[in-house]
Amino acid sequence: NLVEITLPPSSRVVGSRVGDVSWPVDTSLVAIIRDTRVITPSVDDSLESGDELIFVSSPDQESALSSLLGS
């Protein structure tokens, strides 16, 4: 599934680097949309409040992803 989540200001991953987050299994972050820019994420990119995160994820991991990101 393609999953889009907007990172809320209260998320515990705000300010973290992509490579420092323990993403759920069978989940891959494929794009960060920040303002009008599309960013192909690398391990060194930071996550900011309001980022739109695009994932490819197995259906059974969507709730874990939402819990992790606080959405």
Side-chain angles (χ1 to χ4, degrees), residues 30-53:
V30 295
I32 300 170
I33 301 171
R34 183 173 297 145
D35 300 318
T36 59
R37 294 182 32 224
V38 176
I39 301 166
T40 302
S42 73
V43 295
D44 290 323
D45 285 313
S46 64
L47 298 169
E48 297 181 9
S49 173
D51 283 351
E52 292 180 48
L53 306 178

Side-chain angles (χ1 to χ4, degrees), residues 10-71:
S10 59
S11 175
R12 62 184 173 186
V13 301
V14 168
S16 298
R17 293 178 337 123
V18 170
D20 292 337
V21 178
S22 296
W23 303 107
V25 296
D26 299 328
T27 300
S28 180
L29 176 61
V30 295
I32 300 170
I33 301 171
R34 183 173 297 145
D35 300 318
T36 59
R37 294 182 32 224
V38 176
I39 301 166
T40 302
S42 73
V43 295
D44 290 323
D45 285 313
S46 64
L47 298 169
E48 297 181 9
S49 173
D51 283 351
E52 292 180 48
L53 306 178
I54 309 295
F55 296 89
V56 175
S57 178
S58 63
D60 58 329
Q61 293 299 322
E62 288 183 41
S63 63
L65 188 57
S66 289
S67 293
L68 172 68
L69 298 176
S71 59

